[in-house]
Amino acid sequence: MDKNVQRPAGEAGKKNRGFLRLVRYLFANYPVHLTVVLVCIVISACSSVVATVFLQRLIDECITPGITSGMEAVWGQLISIIATMAFIYVFGVAASFTYTRIMAIVTQGTLKHFRLDMLDNMESLPVRYFDTHAHGDIMSTYTNDTDAIRQLIGQSLPQLFQAVLTSTAIFVMMIYYSLWLTLLVCVFLVVMLTVSRKVGGASAHYMMAQQKALADEEGYIEEMMDGQKVVQVFCHEEQSKEDFVRWNDRLFEAGEAAHRYGNILMPILSNIGNLMYVLLAVAGGLLVYFGAANVGLSGMGSVTVGMIISFLSMTRQLSQTIGQASMQVSMIAMGVAGANRVFTLIDEEPEQDAGYVKLVNAKKNENGEIEEADRPTGLWAWKYPHPATGTTTYTELKGDIRLEHVDFGYDPEKIVLHDISLYAKPGQKIAFVGATGAGKTTITNLINRFYDIEDGKIRYDGINIGKICKPDLRRSLGIVLQDVNLFTGTVMENIRYGRLDATDEECIAAARRTNADGFIRRLPNGYDTMLTGNGASLSQGQRQLLSIARAAVADPPCMILDEATSSIDTRTEALMQEGMDHLMEGRTVFVIAHRLSTVRNSKAIMVLDHGRIIERGDHDDLIAQKGVYYQLYTGAFELE
């Protein structure tokens, strides 16, 4: 995978660079296969031309003498030429069959490599990328764009390469037969190539527009499918249809124009080829009739009937070859556009991680000092190398998190968090309350390093989190989001998603701690019940409980609950809170909630407003202050 290629600024440069990069990509993965394919295409192209040359020998050396002298005199020569032609045709067919089979392997294998490379890079992209790109548009890269590449590799490129070789060979043989007739062919070739460039270029333009419109429409459809309940609740069906009609019209207009130009290209070229065929037949007939000398490059004698028939056959083959190649122009343009989109995803800058502090299994030696262990011990430590001294220190993972004068903005020009300072000691529960957009979720996103801060420090067990490797940092954190994502699989597999090496017993224990075990056992197959469609068969509260159990089985020292109880009824919330109290023991917990009942027992409550902490303290302190929290709690005004 070549990620270091710099693209030129111009659109044409992008297309050329995309095509060349695709060719390099193919040869990087299948050098032997493609070498064999090129050899087979050369053989196939040459066999089609050489067989046409033998047609001239068949007429001039066998049929014409046989008519005047009898077939007995030329029978041996006839058998020899027919056998040679048959051998050449069979050899060409075998070569075509071979390269077609190999190209099937190359095509599907290349698409496999593309999808692997795209997913590999996509998994390393920052959250910001998915916040700024439509998911349907990304999916279109995996489907429509790769399908366009499939047509390009499996069909268009082999046909184009074979067309170039065949046309070159035919042109050389035409010059060999008759320079004057070849000059006439050149006039028509200029016309055919001009038409192909104009009409084929227009088709290619609209093909690429069609590809873009298709990606946009898929993005819209996915958005409507995800929000179908909202659409129906607010009776937005008609407006959704009108919006879809606009996207669909764009796709129709681009597709109709692309295929209109594409469909008229072949008939135009065919008619030009027919006209060329007729004029060459007349000119060739005149040359034969008047016995004109051939002034071609070969120095042959008079033009013969066999030469004219062979020349006309090559003319027909040449016009068909150019027509078939021209039909591939739009497919090539669409395939190159698809390759550019695929390479764009592959080239997206991965999430930067300059961290070097790692999370390791640890144990305490006889002196009570922490050292690295080669197996799980239940004790974790931060492995902190010091390059300057060549030493390594180990800090026990406890969950002590501190924010010091943190500023942050999703857009550097618009700061949303201002001078945020707070600390959470191991085992403490810290709550964030405030209106929507106050910055509660943003703080937890910074602790996870989904985004990096503009200014200030965030320390984890005394270590700047910028020095901690992101996978290790996130492994030490458990998070339960308001929007639950469940995956296709059993209930047990979804709980185990929190820690893949967890046993069934550990998953069941986590479900019990979070009070999810009761409803799970009432499911048709208990923990083996299959979930599909993001757990559509479960209630929102049940899905949330599974999400909490998934975080519990990870057994992290720090947990983040982002509106975890927002979709759970009061009774279920009480059950879950009981389980969460057990999970909190010895753990740092950050809670974001609109329900103030879920934050009453927090060690500290942070009241945020427009990215600033305006009040802090425990429940009793804040009530005594009779500030914003007091007004929220007593119902003087409500959270937005």
Side-chain angles (χ1 to χ4, degrees):
M1 184 171 62
D2 181 10
K3 293 186 177 182
N4 298 318
V5 176
Q6 298 296 321
R7 296 187 186 84
E11 194 65 29
K14 283 186 177 180
K15 295 176 184 177
N16 294 335
R17 182 57 62 93
F19 179 78
L20 294 175
R21 184 174 177 184
L22 176 62
V23 172
R24 289 200 303 272
Y25 192 94
L26 291 171
F27 274 96
N29 290 297
Y30 296 96
V32 177
H33 291 74
L34 290 176
T35 301
V36 175
V37 166
L38 293 178
V39 172
C40 289
I41 290 178
V42 171
I43 293 173
S44 178
C46 292
S47 66
S48 64
V49 177
V50 172
T52 305
V53 174
F54 273 88
L55 179 62
Q56 179 259 324
R57 289 188 57 195
L58 186 66
I59 294 173
D60 289 343
E61 297 178 17
C62 299
I63 296 178
T64 301
I67 293 174
T68 57
S69 305
M71 294 301 296
E72 293 80 5
V74 296
W75 190 253
Q77 182 72 357
L78 177 65
I79 296 298
S80 174
I81 292 176
I82 292 176
T84 304
M85 290 178 64
F87 174 77
I88 292 174
Y89 274 125
V90 169
F91 198 48
V93 169
S96 298
F97 176 79
T98 301
Y99 89 71
T100 303
R101 292 292 299 271
I102 295 176
M103 282 306 298
I105 298 173
V106 172
T107 301
Q108 295 304 319
T110 300
L111 298 187
K112 172 187 172 184
H113 286 296
F114 268 136
R115 288 189 287 263
L116 288 173
D117 288 344
M118 283 191 292
L119 185 64
D120 179 60
N121 194 58
M122 191 179 75
E123 290 297 310
S124 68
L125 296 179
V127 173
R128 189 188 301 271
Y129 177 83
F130 301 98
D131 290 342
T132 55
H133 290 75
H135 295 176
D137 187 47
I138 298 173
M139 282 303 304
S140 181
T141 307
Y142 282 90
T143 53
N144 299 320
D145 291 325
T146 53
D147 188 63
I149 295 173
R150 176 189 62 78
Q151 292 181 324
L152 173 64
I153 299 173
Q155 177 180 332
S156 301
L157 285 182
Q159 285 194 14
L160 181 64
F161 184 62
Q162 184 168 10
V164 171
L165 290 177
T166 302
S167 300
T168 303
I170 290 174
F171 199 72
V172 171
M173 293 308 303
M174 283 181 168
I175 294 175
Y176 179 78
Y177 279 157
S178 174
L179 178 61
W180 296 115
L181 291 180
T182 303
L183 291 176
L184 182 59
V185 170
C186 289
V187 174
F188 282 94
L189 284 181
V190 171
V191 176
M192 294 176 75
L193 292 177
T194 301
V195 171
S196 297
R197 185 171 62 86
K198 296 290 186 181
V199 180
S203 176
H205 169 76
Y206 285 110
M207 277 288 187
M208 290 187 286
Q210 173 186 297
Q211 199 78 350
K212 179 65 169 63
L214 183 59
D216 292 339
E217 184 175 289
E218 285 194 0
Y220 179 80
I221 292 172
E222 183 180 13
E223 185 179 86
M224 288 299 101
M225 289 176 63
D226 289 341
Q228 193 56 225
K229 289 182 180 178
V230 177
V231 170
Q232 294 182 5
V233 165
F234 290 98
C235 301
H236 206 266
E237 292 89 344
E238 292 303 319
Q239 183 61 44
S240 297
K241 290 178 184 177
E242 291 178 9
D243 292 339
F244 177 76
V245 166
R246 284 197 293 270
W247 291 109
N248 207 30
D249 285 345
R250 282 183 54 197
L251 178 59
F252 164 76
E253 290 167 3
E256 187 270 338
H259 289 87
R260 180 175 71 247
Y261 283 107
N263 290 340
I264 66 173
L265 179 59
M266 193 64 181
I268 292 175
L269 294 178
S270 295
N271 285 311
I272 294 175
N274 291 336
L275 179 61
M276 177 175 64
Y277 188 87
V278 171
L279 291 179
L280 286 172
V282 172
L286 291 175
L287 288 175
V288 173
Y289 181 77
F290 290 107
N294 189 332
V295 293
L297 300 181
S298 63
M300 293 173 59
S302 299
V303 177
T304 65
V305 173
M307 290 171 57
I308 295 302
I309 293 177
S310 180
F311 196 96
L312 291 175
S313 178
M314 286 188 288
T315 301
R316 177 70 71 187
Q317 186 178 2
L318 179 63
S319 63
Q320 290 177 347
T321 300
I322 293 175
Q324 291 171 356
S326 299
M327 290 297 293
Q328 300 303 319
V329 171
S330 58
M331 294 294 104
I332 292 173
M334 191 164 66
V336 172
N340 280 326
R341 282 170 54 85
V342 168
F343 283 128
T344 297
L345 179 55
I346 292 175
D347 290 340
E348 282 293 338
E349 190 67 27
E351 188 174 28
Q352 297 300 312
D353 187 7
Y356 52 87
V357 178
K358 295 185 174 295
L359 189 63
V360 297
N361 290 296
K363 62 182 179 180
K364 292 187 178 180
N365 58 24
E366 297 176 353
N367 298 325
E369 298 173 341
I370 297 176
E371 58 184 32
E372 189 171 352
D374 56 1
R375 66 176 66 90
T377 61
L379 178 66
W380 294 88
W382 299 110
K383 182 179 180 181
Y384 194 149
H386 302 277
T389 61
T391 60
T392 300
T393 57
Y394 294 90
T395 302
E396 183 178 353
L397 172 62
K398 295 181 178 179
D400 186 298
I401 297 179
R402 299 170 185 265
L403 281 71
E404 302 172 359
H405 307 290
V406 170
D407 294 333
F408 171 75
Y410 295 100
D411 180 348
E413 301 298 323
K414 298 179 180 179
I415 302 299
V416 297
L417 291 181
H418 306 271
D419 195 28
I420 299 297
S421 295
L422 60 91
Y423 66 88
K425 294 181 179 179
Q428 289 185 342
K429 178 180 178 182
I430 308 299
F432 299 109
V433 298
T436 299
K440 306 183 296 295
T441 300
T442 300
I443 292 177
T444 60
N445 284 339
L446 297 181
I447 295 173
N448 275 289
R449 284 196 71 194
F450 288 152
Y451 299 91
D452 287 323
I453 60 178
E454 300 293 332
D455 194 16
K457 293 284 190 299
I458 301 179
R459 301 186 186 278
Y460 196 143
D461 291 329
I463 304 171
N464 188 330
I465 63 170
K467 298 178 180 180
I468 300 175
C469 296
K470 289 184 179 180
D472 296 272
L473 172 66
R474 292 165 185 168
R475 193 179 300 123
S476 71
L477 299 168
I479 186 167
V480 181
L481 300 172
Q482 180 179 4
D483 298 324
V484 180
N485 289 107
L486 298 178
F487 302 93
T488 300
T490 65
V491 171
M492 183 70 75
E493 290 169 344
N494 271 275
I495 295 176
R496 187 177 285 117
Y497 201 87
R499 182 162 57 89
L500 296 180
D501 60 350
T503 63
D504 289 354
E505 292 73 20
E506 289 173 324
C507 292
I508 294 172
R512 285 174 178 164
R513 288 200 303 274
T514 56
N515 289 316
D517 181 71
F519 89 83
I520 293 175
R521 294 190 182 278
R522 291 193 295 273
L523 295 175
N525 296 310
Y527 283 88
D528 294 325
T529 301
M530 284 293 298
L531 301 179
T532 57
N534 200 19
S537 60
L538 303 178
S539 70
Q540 184 68 16
Q542 290 172 332
R543 295 169 66 242
Q544 192 66 276
L545 285 172
L546 284 183
S547 176
I548 295 169
R550 183 166 62 194
V553 79
D555 197 25
C558 179
M559 294 194 69
I560 298 171
L561 307 178
D562 188 352
E563 300 285 1
T565 61
S566 62
S567 302
I568 298 177
D569 59 85
T570 305
R571 180 177 177 277
T572 305
E573 180 185 352
L575 292 174
M576 191 199 74
Q577 191 63 51
E578 180 183 345
M580 291 303 300
D581 288 339
H582 294 294
L583 289 177
M584 283 174 52
E585 296 177 3
R587 291 176 172 82
T588 306
V589 179
F590 291 95
V591 178
I592 299 173
H594 278 141
R595 293 182 183 179
L596 297 183
S597 59
T598 62
V599 303
R600 274 193 69 170
N601 63 344
S602 299
K603 178 67 176 179
I605 301 171
M606 307 290 169
V607 183
L608 286 94
D609 182 49
H610 294 91
R612 300 180 187 274
I613 298 177
I614 58 175
E615 294 179 9
R616 67 179 76 204
D618 61 19
H619 173 75
D620 295 333
D621 291 338
L622 294 177
I623 291 294
Q625 292 178 24
K626 293 190 176 182
V628 174
Y629 182 83
Y630 173 82
Q631 297 179 61
L632 291 171
Y633 192 77
T634 58
F637 62 84
E638 297 180 353
L639 293 176
E640 298 174 2

